Amino acid sequence: MAKHRIYTTSFASVYPHYVAKAEKKGRTKAEVDQVISWLTGYGPKEFEAQLARKTDFETFFADAPKMNPSRALIKGVVCGVRVEDIEEPTMREIRYLDKLIDELARGKAMDKILREN
């Protein structure tokens, strides 16, 4: 079976859409970056390097320094699919990020988004 095209899509090409979605709802680029850092472990310099290289989604998640173990607490529906039911690991990571961005755009408190409580 062929891979979903999101795997070969450049993360840098989708990132502005994440930021725009959040900013449209009164959130900031810094908050988007914080969510991405929390999920993947990328620091600011590493993250900028990934964007500059136009790394695809599959590589972006495969190269992530330290995926947050609390990401398993992310539950809910994205694109009509429950994230906790997605079996393919890379697609699950992508959907975790989508869910976090959705929560940010909906105005959820940052400590709740980052599963601190």
Side-chain angles (χ1 to χ4, degrees), residues 1 10 12 18 28 33 35-36 41-42 52 65 72 77-79 105-106 112:
M1 189 170 124
S10 159
Y18 290 146
T28 66
D33 292 352
V35 164
I36 293 169
Y42 283 113
V77 178
V78 174
C79 299
R106 281 198 321 264
K112 300 278 189 212

Side-chain angles (χ1 to χ4, degrees), residues 1 5 7 9 13 16 18 20 29 31 40 44 54 60 62 66 68 70 72 74 89-92 94 103 116:
M1 189 170 124
R5 69 180 191 164
Y7 292 101
T9 301
S13 70
Y18 290 146
K29 177 183 178 291
E31 289 174 311
T40 62
K54 297 190 181 338
F60 181 80
K66 185 178 186 317
N68 193 311
S70 294
I74 301 169
T90 303
M91 183 59 77
R92 187 172 48 243
I94 292 167
E103 290 176 355
E116 293 174 355

Side-chain angles (χ1 to χ4, degrees), residues 13-89:
S13 70
V14 177
Y15 174 69
H17 298 284
Y18 290 146
V19 173
K21 182 175 186 172
E23 288 179 341
K24 192 164 74 172
K25 299 292 186 165
R27 303 307 282 257
T28 66
K29 177 183 178 291
E31 289 174 311
V32 172
D33 292 352
Q34 182 181 357
V35 164
I36 293 169
S37 177
W38 175 87
L39 180 64
T40 62
Y42 283 113
K45 287 182 182 172
E46 298 164 307
F47 180 61
E48 288 299 324
Q50 292 290 335
L51 293 176
R53 280 196 292 273
K54 297 190 181 338
T55 304
D56 62 50
F57 268 87
E58 188 169 32
T59 306
F60 181 80
F61 283 106
D63 290 352
K66 185 178 186 317
M67 295 301 292
N68 193 311
S70 294
R71 73 191 185 284
L73 300 173
I74 301 169
K75 308 262 188 255
V77 178
V78 174
C79 299
V81 178
R82 295 205 70 77
V83 293
E84 60 270 27
D85 293 342
I86 299 171
E87 292 187 20
E88 203 291 309

